[in-house]
Amino acid sequence: MNCRQALPLLESLVDNELPEAETARLKSHINDCNHCRQGYQETIHLREILSRNRVMDPGPQYWTETTSLILARTTELADKAQVHHLPQKTRHYGQVTIIRSIMSVVASITILCIALLIGSSLKKQNVVHYVKNAPLLATTDLRDLLQVKDHPIYTAQDQINLARGALLLGMPGSLGRFAGLSDLFLTIDLK
Amino acid sequence: MRDMSKTVPELVESFAKGDQSAFAELVTRYRKKVYSLAYQILRNHLDADEVVQETFVRIYRRQKELANVKYFSTFLLRIATNYSIDLLRKRKGHSKIEEDSSSLPGTVQLDLARRVVTPSQKFESKRLGAEIEKALDRLPPRQKMTAILHDVEGYTKTEIAGILECPEATVRSNLHIARTKLRKILKHKHKRKE
């Protein structure tokens, strides 16, 4: 064995990691070689110094106090973890409450929309009903009502105009308020 | 009451299932290892104390993970090492506090005073210790960690690879570089004294 082969193995020899045969060969080289022997002794010396540099034990009282502190901290952690579980339940409960509120709002809006739809359809029906009845009034001959068929009272045009006036303006009592009522009737397209 | 009958894997399994007394026993068994490692890295009792407490609190927080941990010791020391390196980096900006026994808590001082050593032994040990500390401080964190774990704390290269989360070859290489540097530093100091 030469120095090139021996030097990289010196630390393994110090750490007792070499097989017996190689240990014997290396030791025989170290005995013959000053340079390698110095390297080997320095490594052993360094290991000794380092191993002596162990930390002094701070003592039983320190350990008792520190262990109590650690256990107190971990107990606190466990308590916190338990408390942490409660808000999770509350949060879950809160979510349910929010969903319920949203659902009730949606239900209210739906009911309102349905009510509006029903209301609007009823109005339409009323109008249809009103329009359906209107021609009856318009086409009724006043002579039939007065039972004076032989004597013409109003012309057919007059009856239509009267009927429209009643339709547009309401009860006959209000007719007197409009001085230009006859002009208004004339402007209406009879088609 | 300590449960000495259980092995570490049994204790870890019990703790993972929620057994608090198993956790207390794990703290008792490993607290000194964590303190020693942290002190070697940080050179300060208060910081080492912080590492001990924080390491076990972190272990507690990862209780459920422990069921899948193969080697508890490696897992624990990895947490301690990482936290120590974090503290070391934080402290780097500040001037290093040279700790002597008077800055230690009263109970610790009392315990240390009980250990009788001769003045020459104390002097020699203190001088060598200071030299080694300074030499170790000059090394990059990974090399320093490797040297401390292997040559001071006595962990195997496989264990160190697990703690530092790197290949065993990297541990070997870091250890070789660290030792070479330390040898050079110490040699240089001895030559200057001569």
Side-chain angles (χ1 to χ4, degrees), chain B residues 161-176:
Chain B
I163 295 166
L164 298 178
E165 289 180 295
C166 63
E168 217 177 299
T170 311
V171 175
R172 280 179 191 280
S173 137
N174 276 338
L175 185 64
H176 174 69

PDB file of all heavy atoms in Angstrom, chain B residues 161-176:
ATOM      1  N   ALA B 161     -27.386  10.773   7.976  1.00  0.00           N
ATOM      2  CA  ALA B 161     -28.028  10.950   6.658  1.00  0.00           C
ATOM      3  C   ALA B 161     -29.539  11.100   6.830  1.00  0.00           C
ATOM      4  O   ALA B 161     -30.170  11.911   6.145  1.00  0.00           O
ATOM      5  CB  ALA B 161     -27.707   9.769   5.762  1.00  0.00           C
ATOM      6  N   GLY B 162     -30.101  10.342   7.765  1.00  0.00           N
ATOM      7  CA  GLY B 162     -31.546  10.438   8.044  1.00  0.00           C
ATOM      8  C   GLY B 162     -31.909  11.768   8.700  1.00  0.00           C
ATOM      9  O   GLY B 162     -32.903  12.389   8.351  1.00  0.00           O
ATOM     10  N   ILE B 163     -31.077  12.200   9.636  1.00  0.00           N
ATOM     11  CA  ILE B 163     -31.355  13.458  10.346  1.00  0.00           C
ATOM     12  C   ILE B 163     -31.234  14.667   9.417  1.00  0.00           C
ATOM     13  O   ILE B 163     -32.084  15.539   9.403  1.00  0.00           O
ATOM     14  CB  ILE B 163     -30.403  13.617  11.561  1.00  0.00           C
ATOM     15  CG1 ILE B 163     -30.680  12.520  12.595  1.00  0.00           C
ATOM     16  CG2 ILE B 163     -30.529  14.992  12.194  1.00  0.00           C
ATOM     17  CD1 ILE B 163     -29.598  12.360  13.655  1.00  0.00           C
ATOM     18  N   LEU B 164     -30.155  14.677   8.635  1.00  0.00           N
ATOM     19  CA  LEU B 164     -29.922  15.843   7.764  1.00  0.00           C
ATOM     20  C   LEU B 164     -30.590  15.691   6.392  1.00  0.00           C
ATOM     21  O   LEU B 164     -30.474  16.581   5.550  1.00  0.00           O
ATOM     22  CB  LEU B 164     -28.414  16.081   7.587  1.00  0.00           C
ATOM     23  CG  LEU B 164     -27.625  16.399   8.860  1.00  0.00           C
ATOM     24  CD1 LEU B 164     -26.152  16.570   8.544  1.00  0.00           C
ATOM     25  CD2 LEU B 164     -28.138  17.661   9.522  1.00  0.00           C
ATOM     26  N   GLU B 165     -31.279  14.595   6.190  1.00  0.00           N
ATOM     27  CA  GLU B 165     -32.001  14.314   4.934  1.00  0.00           C
ATOM     28  C   GLU B 165     -31.089  14.477   3.714  1.00  0.00           C
ATOM     29  O   GLU B 165     -31.342  15.310   2.842  1.00  0.00           O
ATOM     30  CB  GLU B 165     -33.204  15.256   4.817  1.00  0.00           C
ATOM     31  CG  GLU B 165     -34.302  14.923   5.806  1.00  0.00           C
ATOM     32  CD  GLU B 165     -35.497  15.845   5.688  1.00  0.00           C
ATOM     33  OE1 GLU B 165     -35.317  17.034   5.975  1.00  0.00           O
ATOM     34  OE2 GLU B 165     -36.575  15.376   5.318  1.00  0.00           O
ATOM     35  N   CYS B 166     -30.008  13.741   3.709  1.00  0.00           N
ATOM     36  CA  CYS B 166     -29.086  13.784   2.564  1.00  0.00           C
ATOM     37  C   CYS B 166     -28.476  12.391   2.392  1.00  0.00           C
ATOM     38  O   CYS B 166     -28.554  11.558   3.297  1.00  0.00           O
ATOM     39  CB  CYS B 166     -27.998  14.827   2.804  1.00  0.00           C
ATOM     40  SG  CYS B 166     -26.948  14.482   4.205  1.00  0.00           S
ATOM     41  N   PRO B 167     -27.853  12.100   1.222  1.00  0.00           N
ATOM     42  CA  PRO B 167     -27.249  10.771   1.040  1.00  0.00           C
ATOM     43  C   PRO B 167     -26.065  10.541   1.988  1.00  0.00           C
ATOM     44  O   PRO B 167     -25.434  11.507   2.428  1.00  0.00           O
ATOM     45  CB  PRO B 167     -26.770  10.796  -0.416  1.00  0.00           C
ATOM     46  CG  PRO B 167     -27.409  11.972  -1.037  1.00  0.00           C
ATOM     47  CD  PRO B 167     -27.735  12.943   0.040  1.00  0.00           C
ATOM     48  N   GLU B 168     -25.802   9.275   2.262  1.00  0.00           N
ATOM     49  CA  GLU B 168     -24.696   8.932   3.166  1.00  0.00           C
ATOM     50  C   GLU B 168     -23.350   9.413   2.608  1.00  0.00           C
ATOM     51  O   GLU B 168     -22.461   9.788   3.369  1.00  0.00           O
ATOM     52  CB  GLU B 168     -24.676   7.409   3.354  1.00  0.00           C
ATOM     53  CG  GLU B 168     -24.298   7.019   4.763  1.00  0.00           C
ATOM     54  CD  GLU B 168     -24.357   5.520   4.977  1.00  0.00           C
ATOM     55  OE1 GLU B 168     -25.449   4.952   4.827  1.00  0.00           O
ATOM     56  OE2 GLU B 168     -23.308   4.929   5.277  1.00  0.00           O
ATOM     57  N   ALA B 169     -23.260   9.409   1.265  1.00  0.00           N
ATOM     58  CA  ALA B 169     -22.019   9.857   0.623  1.00  0.00           C
ATOM     59  C   ALA B 169     -21.753  11.327   0.957  1.00  0.00           C
ATOM     60  O   ALA B 169     -20.597  11.728   1.164  1.00  0.00           O
ATOM     61  CB  ALA B 169     -22.118   9.674  -0.882  1.00  0.00           C
ATOM     62  N   THR B 170     -22.835  12.116   1.027  1.00  0.00           N
ATOM     63  CA  THR B 170     -22.702  13.549   1.371  1.00  0.00           C
ATOM     64  C   THR B 170     -22.220  13.689   2.809  1.00  0.00           C
ATOM     65  O   THR B 170     -21.394  14.551   3.114  1.00  0.00           O
ATOM     66  CB  THR B 170     -24.065  14.263   1.189  1.00  0.00           C
ATOM     67  OG1 THR B 170     -24.584  13.908  -0.079  1.00  0.00           O
ATOM     68  CG2 THR B 170     -23.941  15.764   1.281  1.00  0.00           C
ATOM     69  N   VAL B 171     -22.731  12.823   3.679  1.00  0.00           N
ATOM     70  CA  VAL B 171     -22.304  12.852   5.092  1.00  0.00           C
ATOM     71  C   VAL B 171     -20.797  12.571   5.162  1.00  0.00           C
ATOM     72  O   VAL B 171     -20.048  13.285   5.834  1.00  0.00           O
ATOM     73  CB  VAL B 171     -23.091  11.816   5.932  1.00  0.00           C
ATOM     74  CG1 VAL B 171     -22.573  11.747   7.357  1.00  0.00           C
ATOM     75  CG2 VAL B 171     -24.578  12.140   5.935  1.00  0.00           C
ATOM     76  N   ARG B 172     -20.365  11.537   4.437  1.00  0.00           N
ATOM     77  CA  ARG B 172     -18.932  11.162   4.431  1.00  0.00           C
ATOM     78  C   ARG B 172     -18.076  12.333   3.939  1.00  0.00           C
ATOM     79  O   ARG B 172     -17.059  12.684   4.537  1.00  0.00           O
ATOM     80  CB  ARG B 172     -18.704   9.960   3.508  1.00  0.00           C
ATOM     81  CG  ARG B 172     -19.069   8.662   4.149  1.00  0.00           C
ATOM     82  CD  ARG B 172     -18.851   7.487   3.200  1.00  0.00           C
ATOM     83  NE  ARG B 172     -19.446   6.304   3.769  1.00  0.00           N
ATOM     84  CZ  ARG B 172     -18.870   5.560   4.714  1.00  0.00           C
ATOM     85  NH1 ARG B 172     -17.663   5.864   5.142  1.00  0.00           N
ATOM     86  NH2 ARG B 172     -19.479   4.510   5.221  1.00  0.00           N
ATOM     87  N   SER B 173     -18.529  12.923   2.837  1.00  0.00           N
ATOM     88  CA  SER B 173     -17.757  14.007   2.238  1.00  0.00           C
ATOM     89  C   SER B 173     -17.730  15.222   3.182  1.00  0.00           C
ATOM     90  O   SER B 173     -16.668  15.812   3.396  1.00  0.00           O
ATOM     91  CB  SER B 173     -18.361  14.324   0.867  1.00  0.00           C
ATOM     92  OG  SER B 173     -18.459  15.671   0.652  1.00  0.00           O
ATOM     93  N   ASN B 174     -18.896  15.581   3.760  1.00  0.00           N
ATOM     94  CA  ASN B 174     -18.941  16.726   4.686  1.00  0.00           C
ATOM     95  C   ASN B 174     -18.074  16.481   5.912  1.00  0.00           C
ATOM     96  O   ASN B 174     -17.400  17.391   6.391  1.00  0.00           O
ATOM     97  CB  ASN B 174     -20.385  16.991   5.137  1.00  0.00           C
ATOM     98  CG  ASN B 174     -21.145  17.845   4.149  1.00  0.00           C
ATOM     99  OD1 ASN B 174     -20.547  18.565   3.354  1.00  0.00           O
ATOM    100  ND2 ASN B 174     -22.454  17.766   4.185  1.00  0.00           N
ATOM    101  N   LEU B 175     -18.092  15.231   6.405  1.00  0.00           N
ATOM    102  CA  LEU B 175     -17.302  14.898   7.596  1.00  0.00           C
ATOM    103  C   LEU B 175     -15.808  15.018   7.287  1.00  0.00           C
ATOM    104  O   LEU B 175     -15.033  15.559   8.095  1.00  0.00           O
ATOM    105  CB  LEU B 175     -17.642  13.477   8.061  1.00  0.00           C
ATOM    106  CG  LEU B 175     -16.981  13.025   9.354  1.00  0.00           C
ATOM    107  CD1 LEU B 175     -17.447  13.862  10.533  1.00  0.00           C
ATOM    108  CD2 LEU B 175     -17.284  11.553   9.640  1.00  0.00           C
ATOM    109  N   HIS B 176     -15.426  14.528   6.113  1.00  0.00           N
ATOM    110  CA  HIS B 176     -14.010  14.581   5.714  1.00  0.00           C
ATOM    111  C   HIS B 176     -13.553  16.038   5.604  1.00  0.00           C
ATOM    112  O   HIS B 176     -12.497  16.411   6.133  1.00  0.00           O
ATOM    113  CB  HIS B 176     -13.821  13.842   4.380  1.00  0.00           C
ATOM    114  CG  HIS B 176     -12.443  13.970   3.836  1.00  0.00           C
ATOM    115  ND1 HIS B 176     -11.356  13.367   4.432  1.00  0.00           N
ATOM    116  CD2 HIS B 176     -11.959  14.668   2.775  1.00  0.00           C
ATOM    117  CE1 HIS B 176     -10.257  13.680   3.750  1.00  0.00           C
ATOM    118  NE2 HIS B 176     -10.608  14.461   2.739  1.00  0.00           N
TER     119      HIS B 176
END
